[in-house]
Each structure stands twice: as structure tokens, then as C-alpha cells.
């Protein structure tokens, strides 16, 4: 974003991490790398101690992995600190959505894939000759050299998995420390996590196949071969294994069990299965992931050295989340809001003083509107003791009341018993059965968290395109906008909210009919467009984005927010990409006229 022709207000928003944190992150990665290399000189307690057989290569391997982390960290730091690099990293190589990935490929994403690929397959350079020589030398002793190359490639492919498992273990969920530090949306992290998990699965499969090609040949060998290359751990002889103890025989069992668990996690996370049974995916993912970490660390020492940052960050992430609020139980009120909506009133975190009570309603709302997009993660122990569900606040906390969340029941399943197990139906059933259709229920609350979106606070013109329950984030943004720009009468500041929903009854809730409508009516620079699909058909998203840019916007920054079903999110993103290309081609973006910046935020939380 080069020339800035329109002055902007210094509006509050989520604080950006100080530059010292980036230096601290780089120092920590270097410290982790040095510590991991130092561990190679200490006694090893894994079933297979790679550094005992390949000391130089193991240390080069560790240094290369942590070097990769440092390079990626530097690039992400530059992306945060320099807008030109940020724009370049977000630039799409092509507007084509790749069928298998379901995503467009950006410059930053491609660079990460290339760097990871170079690191993974480049490791053949320092492992290949050493593996071949070491296994061949052992084979010569028992006249077994024909098939030792299979063991060599088993080791090489195993070290590919070191890299994948080290990267996939980095915490990516909810309020990830890394996500907030590098301003990456959770959907970006989750997608990278998914790709790395698939790479780990394929690498483990190749690793296992290579090993079993050796097992097939060793079974027909002599007893000397069997003693020199035990199937459970071919790196040491039977006599050496007897000296080391039972842990020496865990290489094969831990490998097989780990692969079975990796396959279970991978299969259960496939979109079709995950959406059909999220509960199964959730519990399989959490429980088996912990077991995979333990088993792979037992399997080979290098796995632990590469998992070290993920283990430490994962534990830190959970400690931070639990200490933040998850360990505390509080009470929320869940009530029937009418028209298929349910309202969750969270407890107030801050106690209002006398001055706060005397404030007007608009001032009380504005007092917490520094970050209009606030996400809470709420656990309802009565429904499920483990599941935590995300909510974007519809009404933010004020000095006299807690935040308000809204939700609707999920679509019915084909089988009634499957529908009744779904958490929104279970929670809503408790409300429906209550005498006054509202209940006080124990909750554990994590949050609020606000995404770092500087474009929101810099925008002169905002378009909110939301569908169904996606209205919640748009409600809080609208109130924030009204407070900051309600006195602006010209078209230099505008906001348009476009809400598409299925039936007219959906809009019959106080948060829309009373609060939002009142704000929209009072402020001439705000517009509310309702689109009922039951009568008007599907909303033309490209037209909405195009019309907003063409309706009286003379100059300034434009920001588009989208929330709702996946089809709407993809459609808005497509429309924004097309419009940005049009603006570039017509010199409408940074070209001396009209729109000086055009950005968008897609509230996507699933893969």
C-alpha cells in the first residue's frame, strides 16, 4: 500500500507485537536447535538412537531443520514489518482454485512449500552415502549386501518424516501464539497443518513400505542375517539388543502403531467424514495426536529433537489458554431469542463503577469497541465436558453487561439420533424444556480474542457481506462504525451491510430489529440491505462487491468482510480478487484516482 492520500483516524485496535518479540522468537529457535544438538551428546533413551550410528549426519539434520524454522520466521517477520512484502506474499500465483486443495496458491504459500520440499528432499544429500555405507558395512559381516539399500532408503525416508512431524506439531489452533505474532488467520495455519499432515501420512507410508521390502528378504535369509538384522530393530544385533534391554525392540511396534494412528487421524479429518461426525474427528484428533508424539519419540531419537519446539509451544499454548479462563467455571444464561435463534449471555468480566453506570448506552457500548471483532471459545460442560465452540460476539461487553452471543441449530441430519447428539440441538433442547425458555448454565469461557486486521481500522469504506449466523460479527462492526463515524455526513466514510438469509423470520431478533435498525436509521453514511433467498434467490456476490465500489466511492481505502456459509465466503473472495484486478488494470488502485487500497477479510474457521 504505497501512497496514502486520505488521512485516517487513529482508532484503537488489537496491539501489534513489539519488534523485540520477533528477535526473541529467533533467539528461542536458535536455542532449541542448540539444545537439540546438545542432547545428541547425552545418553539416549529412544528405541533407535540415530546419533549413535550417524553422529555427524544427525547433527547436520537437526541444524538444517532449525535453520529452516529460522528462515521461515524471518520471512514471516518481514511480512509483518513491511507492507510491500505482505502484499507480495498474499499475491495469488493464479486465480484458479486447485481442485484437490480447494485453494488458490499464493506467493507466500508456494515459497513455504518450496522451502519445505528443498529441506525434505535435500536431506538425501547428507544421508544417502552415509546410510548406504553403514548398512553395507554391516551386511558384509554376514554376507548380506544385496538388499541393504532397502534399509538405507528406509532410514532416508524416515528422516523425511522427521521434518514433517516437527512442522505439523507446531500449535495452530484457536489463539495460537504463532498466529498472533505473525498476523496469520487461523484458517491459514489450519490449511498448512492439513498439508503437512498429509505429507507426514504419505512419508510414513513410503517409509513403512520400504522397510517391509527388507522384511520380506530377511525372512528368507540365514540365521546369521536374522541375528545381525533383527526385524524389530535392524540397527543393532540380537546380542546388542539383549544388552540394551527391552526398549531396543520397540522400533517396529512403535512404528506400526504410530502409522496406524496417523492413518486414523488422517482419514477422520477428511472433509466429508469430519463434517458428518465432528465429535469423532475431535476426540480422535486430540487423543491420538498425543499418543503419536509419545510413540514417535520412542521410535527414533531424531523425532524428539524435531518435535521439541512443538511440544514446548503446545504445552505453553494450553497453559496460557487454561490460565486465561478455561480453568474457571462461570455461569451464562442461554435463552430462546425467537425465530430460530438462541442467545447466550456471558457473565460480566468487569464490575461497573458509578461513573460507568451513569454513561449513556451508546457510550457504554463504545467503551469496549476498540476491537469490534471479538471471538469467544465456550465450553458447555452440561452438553460436553471437552468440546469448545467458537462464537463471534454479536454484542460486546459493556460496563453493565457481559457479551451476547447468538446461534441457531445446525441442520437436521438424516437420522434423528444423530441430530439429537449435535451440540446445538442438545443445548437448545435444555432451553426449550425450561419453563421460561431460558436457563442458567455452567460454562468455561476462553477469550475474547481479536484478530489483528489493521485494514479494518484504516478503512474509509466498509462492505459487510454475511449470510445466516454470520451476521454476528457484522453487528459488532456496525456499532463500532456508528460510534466512530456517526457525525460524518459526507460520502468520505460509508458502511454497507448486506445480509442474506433464507426466510423473513430469521431477521426477527432484537439485535437486528431494534438495535441495528436504530443505528442504521440514525446514521446517513450506513446502509442495511436484506436479501431473502426464499423470495429473491441466491445473492449475486460479484454484483454486490462491484456495486459497492461503483456507488459514489470517490477515493479512500475499501475493506470487505465476509462471514457465513462456505459458498458465500468463496464467492466473496472470488469477487474481491476479480475487482482488485479490475482496479489495477484501470489504474484505480494506487493509480492516482479512486480507491487507494482494497482489502478483504474472510472469516473462515474450517478447512
Amino acid at each position: 500500500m504505497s501512497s496514502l492520500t486520505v488521512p485516517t483516524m487513529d482508532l484503537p485496535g488489537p496491539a501489534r507485537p513489539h519488534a523485540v518479540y520477533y528477535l526473541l522468537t529467533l533467539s528461542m529457535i536458535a536455542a532449541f536447535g542448540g539444545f537439540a544438538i546438545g542432547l545428541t551428546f547425552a545418553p539416549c533413551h529412544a528405541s533407535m538412537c540415530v546419533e549413535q550410528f550417524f553422529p555427524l549426519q544427525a547433527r547436520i539434520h537437526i541444524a538444517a531443520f532449525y535453520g529452516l524454522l529460522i528462515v521461515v520466521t524471518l520471512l514471516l517477520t518481514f511480512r509483518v514489518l513491511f507492507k510491500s512484502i505482505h502484499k507480495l506474499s498474499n499475491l495469488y500465483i493464479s486465480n484458479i482454485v486447485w481442485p484437490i486443495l480447494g485453494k488458490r496458491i499464493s506467493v507466500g504459500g508456494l515459497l513455504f512449500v518450496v522451502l519445505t520440499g528443498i529441506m525434505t528432499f535435500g536431506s538425501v544429500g547428507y544421508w544417502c552415502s552415509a546410510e548406504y555405507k553403514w548398512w553395507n558395512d554391516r551386511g558384509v559381516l554376514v554376507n548380506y549386501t544385496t538388499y541393504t539399500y532397502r534399509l538405507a532408503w528406509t532410514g532416508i525416508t524416515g528422516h523425511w518424516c522427521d521434518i514433517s512431524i516437527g512442522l505439523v506439531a507446531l500449535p495452530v489452533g484457536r489463539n495460537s501464539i504463532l498466529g498472533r505474532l505473525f498476523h496469520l488467520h487461523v484458517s491459514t495455519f489450519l490449511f498448512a497443518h492439513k498439508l503437512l499432515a498429509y505429507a507426514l501420512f504419505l512419508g510414513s507410508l513410503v517409509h513403512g513400505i520400504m522397510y517391509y521390502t527388507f522384511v520380506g528378504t530377511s525372512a528368507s535369509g540365514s540365521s546369521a542375517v536374522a541375528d545381525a538384522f533383527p526385524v524389530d530393530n535392524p540397527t543393532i544385533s540380537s546380542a546388542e539388543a539383549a544388552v540394551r534391554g527391552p526398549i531396543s525392540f520397540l522400533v517396529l511396534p512403535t512404528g506400526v502403531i504410530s502409522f496406524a494412528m496417523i492413518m486414523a487421524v488422517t482419514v477422520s479429518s477428511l472433509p466429508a467424514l469430519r463434517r458428518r461426525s465432528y465429535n469423532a474427528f475431535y476426540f480422535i484428533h486430540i487423543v491420538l495426536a498425543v499418543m503419536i508424539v509419545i510413540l514417535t519419540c520412542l521410535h527414533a531419537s531424531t523425532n524428539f529433537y524435531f518435535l521439541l519446539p512443538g511440544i514446548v509451544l503446545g504445552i505453553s499454548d494450553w497453559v496460557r489458554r487454561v490460565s486465561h479462563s478455561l480453568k474457571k467455571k462461570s455461569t451464562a444464561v442461554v435463552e430462546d431469542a425467537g425465530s430460530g435463534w438462541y442467545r447466550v449471555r456471558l457473565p460480566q468480566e468487569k464490575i461497573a463503577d458509578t461513573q460507568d453506570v451513569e454513561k449513556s448506552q451508546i457510550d457504554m457500548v463504545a467503551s469496549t469497541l476498540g476491537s469490534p471483532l471479538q471471538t469467544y471459545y465456550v465450553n458447555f460442560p452440561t452438553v460436553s465436558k471437552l468440546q469448545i465452540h467458537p462464537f463471534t460476539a454479536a454484542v460486546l461487553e459493556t460496563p453493565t453487561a457481559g457479551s451476547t452471543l447468538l446461534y441457531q441449530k445446525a441442520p437436521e441430519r438424516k437420522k434423528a439420533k444423530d441430530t439429537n447428539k449435535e451440540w446445538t440441538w442438545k443445548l437448545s433442547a435444555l432451553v426449550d424444556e425450561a419453563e421460561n425458555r431460558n436457563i442458567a448454565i455452567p460454562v468455561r469461557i476462553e477469550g475474547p480474542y481479536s484478530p489483528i486486521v489493521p485494514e479494518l481500522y484504516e478503512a474509509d469504506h466498509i462492505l459487510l457481506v454475511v449470510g445466516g449466523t454470520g451476521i454476528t460479527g457484522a453487528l459488532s462492526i456496525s456499532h463500532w462504525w456508528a460510534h466512530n463515524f456517526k457525525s460524518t455526513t459526507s460520502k468520505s466514510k460509508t458502511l454497507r451491510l448486506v445480509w442474506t438469509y433464507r426466510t423473513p423470520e430469521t431477521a426477527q431478533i432484537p439485535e437486528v430489529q431494534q438495535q441495528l435498525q436504530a443505528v442504521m436509521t440514525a446514521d446517513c453514511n450506513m446502509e442495511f440491505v436484506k436479501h431473502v433467498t426464499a423470495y429473491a434467490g441466491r445473492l449475486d456476490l460479484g454484483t454486490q462487491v462491484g456495486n459497492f465500489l461503483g456507488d459514489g466511492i470517490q477515493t479512500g481505502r475499501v475493506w470487505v468482510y465476509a462471514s457465513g456459509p462456505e459458498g458465500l465466503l468463496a464467492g466473496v473472495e472470488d469477487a474481491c480478487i476479480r475487482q482488485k484486478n479490475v482496479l489495477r488494470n484501470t489504474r484505480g488502485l494506487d493509480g492516482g484516482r479512486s480507491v487507494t487500497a482494497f482489502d478483504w477479510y474472510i472469516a473462515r474457521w474450517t478447512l
Side-chain angles (χ1 to χ4, degrees):
M1 302 175 188
S2 52
S3 60
L4 304 179
T5 59
V6 180
T8 58
M9 296 177 63
D10 186 16
L11 298 174
R16 291 170 179 256
H18 195 276
V20 71
Y21 288 111
Y22 299 105
L23 294 174
L24 181 61
T25 302
L26 291 168
S27 301
M28 288 180 62
I29 294 172
F32 273 127
F35 181 64
I37 291 175
L39 288 176
T40 63
F41 295 94
C44 171
H45 301 287
S47 185
M48 180 169 57
C49 300
V50 178
E51 62 271 24
Q52 292 184 359
F53 315 119
F54 306 98
L56 176 61
Q57 288 74 21
R59 288 157 195 155
I60 292 175
H61 195 45
I62 295 169
F65 174 74
Y66 285 93
L68 171 67
L69 293 184
I70 288 175
V71 169
V72 172
T73 300
L74 280 172
L75 292 174
L76 290 174
T77 301
F78 294 153
R79 179 182 178 274
V80 174
L81 300 179
F82 302 102
K83 287 188 175 181
S84 58
I85 296 179
H86 185 277
K87 290 174 64 176
L88 178 62
S89 69
N90 288 343
L91 184 66
Y92 290 118
I93 302 295
S94 169
N95 290 338
I96 298 174
V97 177
W98 287 66
I100 297 177
L101 300 178
K103 300 281 185 180
R104 295 177 180 84
I105 298 179
S106 65
V107 172
L110 180 62
L111 181 59
F112 176 72
V113 171
V114 169
L115 288 174
T116 305
I118 291 173
M119 170 64 203
T120 301
F121 299 111
S123 64
V124 175
Y126 52 82
W127 279 116
C128 190
S129 59
E131 290 272 1
Y132 266 80
K133 183 179 185 306
W134 192 81
W135 289 108
N136 187 72
D137 289 348
R138 291 197 62 216
V140 167
L141 300 177
V142 290
N143 195 27
Y144 181 78
T145 57
T146 306
Y147 299 108
T148 52
Y149 75 92
R150 299 183 181 183
L151 286 169
W153 276 102
T154 299
I156 293 169
T157 54
H159 295 307
W160 292 352
C161 297
D162 292 338
I163 299 166
S164 298
I165 200 169
L167 293 174
V168 82
L170 296 174
V172 298
R174 296 191 173 95
N175 191 46
S176 167
I177 297 173
L178 299 178
R180 297 195 65 78
L181 183 64
F182 297 114
H183 302 186
L184 292 171
H185 192 274
V186 65
S187 64
T188 302
F189 259 126
L190 288 174
F191 183 65
H193 178 77
K194 181 174 75 170
L195 288 183
L196 290 167
Y198 289 162
L200 175 61
F201 171 72
L202 292 175
S204 301
L205 180 62
V206 172
H207 178 59
I209 290 173
M210 288 304 307
Y211 185 66
Y212 275 100
T213 60
F214 153 75
V215 172
T217 60
S218 67
S220 58
S222 64
S223 58
V225 172
D227 287 338
F229 299 95
V231 171
D232 286 333
N233 184 357
T235 60
I236 57 178
S237 66
S238 298
E240 293 170 324
V243 174
R244 284 200 63 200
I247 195 172
S248 301
F249 299 104
L250 294 179
V251 174
L252 181 60
T254 54
V256 171
I257 297 171
S258 296
F259 176 73
M261 291 183 175
I262 290 171
M263 184 166 62
V265 170
T266 304
V267 172
S268 67
S269 64
L270 293 173
L273 295 178
R274 185 183 70 247
R275 291 166 187 158
R276 183 176 179 179
S277 182
Y278 181 81
N279 289 347
F281 156 76
Y282 183 85
F283 292 117
I284 288 173
H285 206 82
I286 297 298
V287 175
L288 294 191
V290 174
M291 297 179 68
I292 289 169
V293 168
I294 295 172
L295 289 172
T296 51
C297 288
L298 282 173
H299 180 71
S301 57
T302 48
N303 284 329
F304 174 72
Y305 303 145
F306 283 58
L307 280 166
L308 191 58
I311 292 172
V312 173
L313 285 175
I315 293 173
S316 302
D317 204 45
W318 268 102
V319 168
R320 179 168 170 263
R321 289 175 57 196
V322 171
S323 62
H324 188 64
S325 56
L326 277 179
K327 67 180 179 181
K328 302 175 185 175
K329 260 190 184 179
S330 51
T331 301
V333 175
V334 185
E335 59 191 27
D336 185 353
S339 303
W341 290 90
Y342 291 84
R343 183 182 296 112
V344 181
R345 297 187 185 275
L346 297 183
Q348 184 183 357
E349 291 187 6
K350 299 177 182 178
I351 304 300
D353 57 25
T354 305
Q355 292 180 341
D356 288 330
V357 174
E358 293 175 352
K359 288 182 179 180
S360 67
Q361 183 64 27
I362 186 78
D363 289 335
M364 287 191 297
V365 174
S367 67
T368 56
L369 284 183
S371 304
L373 281 175
Q374 294 190 1
T375 301
Y376 290 86
Y377 294 90
V378 184
N379 166 246
F380 301 94
T382 307
V383 175
S384 171
K385 295 188 181 299
L386 296 178
Q387 288 186 35
I388 304 173
H389 306 286
F391 293 86
T392 300
V395 180
L396 304 184
E397 180 175 345
T398 70
T400 58
S403 296
T404 299
L405 317 177
L406 295 171
Y407 78 91
Q408 291 181 311
K409 293 178 183 178
E412 290 190 61
R413 306 288 179 84
K414 291 182 178 180
K415 296 181 179 179
K417 65 177 183 180
D418 292 336
T419 299
N420 294 332
K421 289 180 180 178
E422 207 279 329
W423 76 269
T424 59
W425 285 76
K426 291 173 71 174
L427 181 58
S428 301
L430 296 175
V431 177
D432 296 340
E433 294 168 1
E435 183 178 353
N436 298 319
R437 299 184 72 82
N438 71 79
I439 57 171
I441 190 171
V443 293
R444 295 184 187 275
I445 304 167
E446 181 187 355
Y449 299 126
S450 298
I452 299 175
V453 190
E455 296 83 6
L456 165 62
Y457 309 100
E458 298 169 352
D460 301 296
H461 308 279
I462 292 181
L463 173 63
L464 311 171
V465 185
V466 297
T469 56
I471 185 69
T472 54
L475 289 173
S476 59
I477 293 175
S478 298
H479 286 293
W480 169 84
W481 180 271
H483 170 70
N484 287 293
F485 303 113
K486 62 183 178 181
S487 59
T488 304
T489 57
S490 68
K491 290 295 183 180
S492 62
K493 299 285 185 181
T494 60
L495 179 143
R496 179 182 296 172
L497 168 56
V498 181
W499 185 24
T500 176
Y501 49 91
R502 187 168 299 174
T503 60
E505 293 76 19
T506 302
Q508 304 303 311
I509 52 173
E511 284 77 6
V512 173
Q513 289 296 97
Q514 298 172 17
Q515 300 172 18
L516 182 62
Q517 294 279 40
V519 168
M520 291 289 186
T521 303
D523 298 320
C524 61
N525 63 350
M526 300 178 72
E527 181 183 1
F528 187 19
V529 178
K530 299 179 184 178
H531 182 91
V532 184
T533 57
Y535 300 147
R538 182 171 294 183
L539 181 67
D540 189 330
L541 301 169
T543 300
Q544 291 295 328
V545 176
N547 288 347
F548 182 71
L549 290 171
D551 287 352
I553 295 180
Q554 301 300 321
T555 185
R557 300 179 179 87
V558 177
W559 185 74
V560 179
Y561 170 84
S563 180
E566 179 57 36
L568 181 139
L569 301 181
V572 172
E573 188 173 28
D574 289 341
C576 289
I577 291 171
R578 289 196 301 269
Q579 287 297 328
K580 191 158 190 173
N581 290 334
V582 170
L583 289 169
R584 282 202 185 98
N585 295 334
T586 58
R587 294 182 59 79
L589 186 65
D590 293 338
R593 24 181 291 235
S594 191
V595 178
T596 57
F598 182 63
D599 299 285
W600 57 90
Y601 179 86
I602 308 298
R604 182 180 282 118
W605 304 98
T606 58
L607 298 176

